[in-house]
Amino acid sequence: MTGSQSVKRAAIALVCALLCGLAGLPAALAGDEPAKPRAAPPAPVADIRDEPQTLFGTVVPDPYRYFENVKAPEVAAWMKAHASRTRALLDSIGARSRLIDTLRRIDDATPARVTAALRTPSGLWFYEKRVAGANQYSLHMRQGLAGPERLLVDPEALSRGTRQSLAINWFSPSPDGRYLAYGLSAGGSEDAVMHVLDVRSGRPVGRPVDRMQFAGVSWDGENTLYFNRLAPLKPDSSALDKFQRSAVYRMTVGAPAPQPVPVLGYGVAGVTIDPAEIPYVSITHDGRWALGWIINGVQREIRMYVAPAASLRASRPAWRALVERADEVSRADYFDDTLYLISHRTAPRSKVMALDIRAGTMGQARELLAHSERVITGLGTASDALYVEARAGNIKELLRLPYRDGAAQTIKLPIAGAFTLSPEEGGGATDPRLPGAVIELQGWTQARQIYEVRGDGTVTNTGLQPQGPYDTLPDVVTTEVQVPGHDGQLVPMSIIHRRDTPLDGNRPTLLYGYAAYGNTEEPYYSVFRMAWLQAGGVHAIANPRGSGVYGEQWYKDGYQATKPNSWKDFIACAEYLVAGGYTRPQRLGILGGSAGGILVGRAMTERPDLFAAVISSVGALDMVRAEDSPNGVPNIPEFGSKRTEPGFRALLAMSTYHQIRDGTPYPAVMLTHGVNDPRVEVWHSTKTAARLMAASASARPVLLRLDFDAGHGIGSTKQQDEQERADMIVFLLWQMGEPGYAPAP
């Protein structure tokens, strides 16, 4: 992976490095399985201590504001009591242990799960791997695809004897593979510490570097690193300062006493950058240029600077502005003095542009791939051609554009599914020093496999990902439908079930959605879904407005003031499942995670009669107060700010916590959260749980499921994953009245 690839990934995937979390369900958040069921203790009742605030003439109540101090003894005790009660209730469901056995049998039937595969010009392959029975992904290397495998970093071994599990957050090898930089964090916190490994000797080099949550590591030659580092917090700093004033540093690996030198960021001469913006630097593969990326939190549109790489090496960076936010560029990659860009300016489904960076301005960029019905979602430069990722509906296409004639060729892929040229963590789909691409391809009924796309257009399986007996599901049926929304817009939804499942209008049915940041629910394989289908359930996945399934306009129609379209579309999809004879309200559940908490929370508060059960996983639920948390400021571009009246009105409308009404018969609710969550503070779930417990007029339970050794899900162990999957399924089937899923008396 070249430096430009590493930082390209970090910059253009920052949407998923903040509150948006995962496009799919966040990873598991549960603790170890208890040895045996125990009686559920009484549920403590939280005191109401309203701290209202008046914003633009509107009084906004906040009866559980004091819950935001999670370290206060009474708050911590309340959290632990409810977590224990939820644990005891779910453990008393007899089917749970059998369900965990099923999940383990399915998952462990595949010898290993491999991801983030990356190749280097020297023939080395780096990748993360979790063997069956292991709890965490470890980092491996081999010389060529047929070479022997070598273990480089084993977080599970490093975690032994510690109180928290460790996980790899990102990794980046030097161009020749001599050194490997990687980030480790504990307990799901994502507060990564950078380590550098001498691959030949297996020994660490230099001292670890902390505050590396965003990293974006880029190499200049074989031993010089560029990376983003958060600013240190002073004793009098506010918690809101955590992601402010970060900078990019240059450091020489192996130097006697390496001193990181700032080259881009707040306060660096020659650039204009706000404290909340996040900078990255990549050195182009040919060593000519330094590209400076300026990311405004989760905003899709990026800014870019360029400088001769020699000026950074001399500690006198000569930055020149290259791309502005008004250019509406969302992706970029470099080859041979040319910057290849994706822009949605005057192109709602995006177009591909080429800019000679020696000439210097976007006004001189030329169009390579015009706006069309398909949505352009990614690109990557290889030595032979530009590779472009596009989407027709929710199915991905791979296009190859040779640099000379630029005529697009469609690569025939072995699976009609999804992949990405811009992976979020680790991996590198393309490399400007190598021909072709490496993609991880999967579908609704086919597990992810790692393919090598060659320069001649042929696609071969690398063999890095072993095949498992459950990795192809011929007995599962997927139906793609268009659901008329509340205003007539057609909302795409995928409905998945076993071929032998009777569609009798009474199936346990789970509807999932996300609908934020322009992220699209594309086909993906899921062990959780397999277990749900084996229980006779139907699984539906919707792409309401707020997703990017139809491009920029579809996204912006479920954004800030238009956010109500997201949950109204979601409600329409739920009504379709009932009217279409799949299920009935007493057998219908909804699930959403992270920003998807807005979706399911507001669907529940608007139509409590439509659902039997609701699960919010690490959900964003108190949107009026979200801005007052460390990760709230980076998310202002997506949700708006309460400091303006339109922003406040939009946030209040999408805030589940503030839309709960006393005396309403709400469905059963389970709120899951990792206490160490750096993206969505755990008090989103605890405040909402307390409010629902006080307000609901139904006998349905409100459960709070907390894990004190987890965060947003990134870095959670396989065991935690299994526990969460099992808890979700048994909770849903219990509330849907499925025989055998009630807690013990």
Side-chain angles (χ1 to χ4, degrees):
M1 175 175 61
T2 66
S4 62
Q5 283 179 303
S6 173
V7 179
K8 172 192 69 177
R9 179 186 70 248
I12 64 184
L14 189 65
V15 163
C16 291
L18 294 164
L19 174 60
C20 64
L22 307 177
L25 181 68
L29 299 171
D32 293 344
E33 182 182 3
K36 60 182 180 179
R38 59 190 186 279
V45 177
D47 291 339
I48 295 175
R49 302 175 193 170
D50 197 16
E51 297 182 50
Q53 57 181 321
T54 301
L55 297 169
F56 301 99
T58 299
V59 177
V60 182
D62 196 347
Y64 302 100
R65 169 81 67 85
Y66 68 101
F67 269 35
E68 294 177 19
N69 183 5
V70 297
K71 294 183 179 179
E74 63 176 326
V75 175
W78 187 92
M79 291 167 60
K80 289 181 179 179
H82 275 277
S84 296
R85 178 175 181 269
T86 297
R87 184 73 276 137
L89 275 170
L90 297 176
D91 286 343
S92 74
I93 297 175
R96 184 178 184 275
S97 60
R98 296 191 299 274
L99 183 57
I100 289 176
D101 290 341
T102 298
L103 289 164
R104 288 176 181 166
R105 173 173 51 82
I106 294 171
D107 216 359
D108 290 348
T110 300
R113 297 292 180 191
V114 176
T115 188
L118 179 156
R119 56 193 177 142
T120 69
S122 60
L124 294 175
W125 286 75
F126 293 84
Y127 50 91
E128 293 183 50
K129 178 179 181 180
R130 189 185 68 195
V131 299
N135 230 359
Q136 271 291 9
Y137 281 90
S138 51
L139 193 50
H140 297 256
M141 181 199 75
R142 63 173 65 192
Q143 179 73 49
L145 290 172
E149 182 177 82
R150 180 182 165 195
L151 174 64
L152 298 177
V153 183
D154 184 356
E156 196 167 350
L158 295 173
S159 300
R160 293 185 188 123
T162 66
R163 297 181 64 183
Q164 291 185 306
S165 61
L166 295 173
I168 297 170
N169 291 94
W170 47 263
F171 69 90
S172 177
S174 61
D176 64 351
R178 167 69 187 276
Y179 296 110
L180 177 73
Y182 63 94
L184 280 180
S185 67
S189 67
E190 301 179 58
D191 288 332
V193 174
M194 180 173 73
H195 303 261
V196 179
L197 182 75
D198 185 320
V199 173
R200 295 175 188 172
S201 68
R203 296 177 180 174
V205 180
R207 295 178 179 178
V209 180
D210 61 1
R211 306 194 308 274
M212 294 285 289
Q213 184 161 341
F214 296 144
V217 170
S218 172
W219 291 87
D220 185 6
E222 309 308 332
N223 66 347
T224 301
L225 282 173
Y226 292 86
F227 53 84
N228 177 284
R229 192 181 189 195
L230 300 180
L233 290 178
K234 300 176 182 178
D236 59 347
S237 294
S238 162
L240 301 184
D241 293 332
K242 180 175 181 179
F243 300 129
Q244 310 293 301
R245 297 178 174 85
S246 69
V248 176
Y249 294 84
R250 186 184 78 250
M251 186 181 77
T252 301
V253 175
Q259 292 296 321
V261 178
V263 296
L264 181 65
Y266 184 78
V268 173
V271 297
T272 301
I273 181 170
D274 293 333
E277 291 183 308
I278 302 168
Y280 295 91
V281 166
S282 61
I283 305 299
T284 59
H285 67 281
D286 51 20
R288 299 175 194 167
W289 302 100
L291 300 176
W293 311 70
I294 310 297
I295 311 299
N296 181 31
V298 300
Q299 185 173 352
R300 292 155 66 87
E301 295 81 12
I302 61 177
R303 292 198 295 126
M304 294 187 69
Y305 286 85
V306 64
S311 71
L312 273 70
R313 298 178 189 122
S315 298
R316 295 189 298 272
W319 294 111
R320 169 172 57 88
L322 190 64
V323 175
E324 299 296 337
R325 297 213 193 280
D327 298 315
E328 299 184 19
V329 169
S330 60
R331 299 283 192 273
D333 208 356
Y334 168 90
F335 185 79
D336 195 18
D337 291 327
T338 301
L339 197 62
Y340 294 90
L341 311 146
I342 296 176
S343 171
H344 51 258
R345 185 176 183 181
T346 70
R349 300 195 179 201
S350 295
K351 57 189 174 183
V352 178
M353 312 287 287
L355 171 63
D356 187 331
I357 62 175
R358 296 169 298 185
T361 65
M362 277 295 292
Q364 295 157 320
R366 68 186 193 277
E367 186 177 275
L368 292 183
L369 201 58
H371 178 264
S372 69
E373 286 302 304
R374 61 189 169 200
V375 181
I376 305 297
T377 53
L379 53 73
T381 56
S383 63
D384 61 304
L386 175 70
Y387 287 82
V388 177
E389 166 196 327
R391 187 174 58 240
N394 62 2
I395 300 298
K396 285 289 184 62
E397 298 177 346
L398 180 62
L399 309 178
R400 180 179 182 273
L401 279 72
Y403 294 118
R404 290 185 179 179
D405 59 28
Q409 307 163 0
T410 301
I411 304 293
K412 183 176 175 56
L413 299 177
I415 296 173
F419 64 92
T420 178
L421 292 179
S422 304
E424 293 168 16
E425 297 173 6
T430 62
D431 187 317
R433 302 163 300 175
L434 294 169
V438 176
I439 60 172
E440 300 184 6
L441 184 62
Q442 62 183 321
W444 293 125
T445 61
Q446 292 160 302
R448 178 175 44 80
Q449 285 289 319
I450 303 171
Y451 293 91
E452 188 171 14
V453 181
R454 296 184 176 141
D456 62 2
T458 59
V459 181
T460 58
N461 196 320
T462 63
L464 287 172
Q465 172 59 62
Q467 294 273 2
Y470 302 105
D471 285 359
T472 300
L473 307 174
D475 60 341
V476 173
V477 176
T478 302
T479 305
E480 304 291 342
V481 299
Q482 297 285 325
V483 178
H486 70 98
D487 57 359
Q489 289 281 358
L490 295 179
V491 183
M493 180 169 64
S494 306
I495 305 173
I496 307 169
H497 57 83
R498 287 174 57 94
R499 197 179 303 276
D500 58 0
T501 297
L503 302 181
D504 55 5
N506 197 41
R507 293 299 91 207
T509 299
L510 178 61
L511 173 61
Y512 172 77
Y514 188 74
Y517 305 100
N519 288 352
T520 299
E521 294 304 317
E522 298 167 345
Y524 63 94
Y525 174 88
S526 166
V527 174
F528 170 86
R529 184 189 307 121
M530 287 182 63
W532 180 256
L533 299 186
Q534 284 195 8
V538 173
H539 194 202
I541 300 97
N543 270 302
R545 278 168 281 191
S547 80
V549 67
Y550 294 137
E552 190 69 10
Q553 191 59 54
W554 190 258
Y555 161 50
K556 289 298 176 66
D557 284 345
Y559 163 94
Q560 295 190 13
T562 60
K563 191 63 181 170
N565 283 327
S566 297
W567 62 79
K568 291 178 185 294
D569 285 350
F570 199 58
I571 289 169
C573 289
E575 291 173 332
Y576 179 96
L577 292 168
V578 173
Y582 291 94
T583 192
R584 53 193 174 91
Q586 295 82 357
R587 305 275 278 170
L588 177 60
I590 53 176
L591 167 65
S594 193
I598 298 171
L599 189 71
V600 297
R602 288 298 283 114
M604 172 192 70
T605 51
E606 191 153 308
R607 286 294 308 277
D609 60 306
L610 189 54
F611 312 109
V614 178
I615 299 178
S616 169
S617 180
V618 294
L621 300 166
D622 180 353
M623 297 307 294
V624 175
R625 290 285 294 167
E627 186 178 342
D628 299 307
S629 63
N631 199 37
V633 175
N635 277 276
I636 289 174
E638 174 72 15
F639 301 113
S641 171
K642 65 183 178 184
R643 288 168 174 77
T644 70
E645 184 168 2
F648 160 66
R649 301 292 175 198
L651 289 168
L652 183 62
M654 69 179 79
S655 183
T656 298
Y657 174 67
H658 292 96
Q659 300 300 328
I660 297 169
R661 299 290 175 254
D662 291 332
T664 302
Y666 288 109
V669 179
M670 184 165 75
L671 302 110
T672 79
H673 223 118
V675 175
N676 304 324
D677 194 336
R679 307 190 188 200
V680 182
E681 299 286 338
V682 68
W683 47 255
H684 281 262
S685 288
T686 57
K687 290 174 70 174
T688 302
R691 180 74 184 101
L692 279 168
M693 290 171 190
S696 182
S698 79
R700 298 278 192 172
V702 176
L703 301 185
L704 183 62
R705 182 186 184 280
L706 300 177
D707 185 346
F708 294 85
D709 188 29
H712 202 67
I714 289 80
S716 291
T717 67
K718 179 181 177 181
Q719 185 180 46
Q720 287 174 310
D721 199 6
E722 291 169 346
Q723 300 297 320
E724 183 186 44
R725 290 166 175 168
D727 285 345
M728 287 182 172
I729 292 173
V730 297
F731 171 75
L732 290 165
L733 294 178
W734 164 28
Q735 293 305 313
M736 293 174 184
E738 195 73 5
Y741 285 90

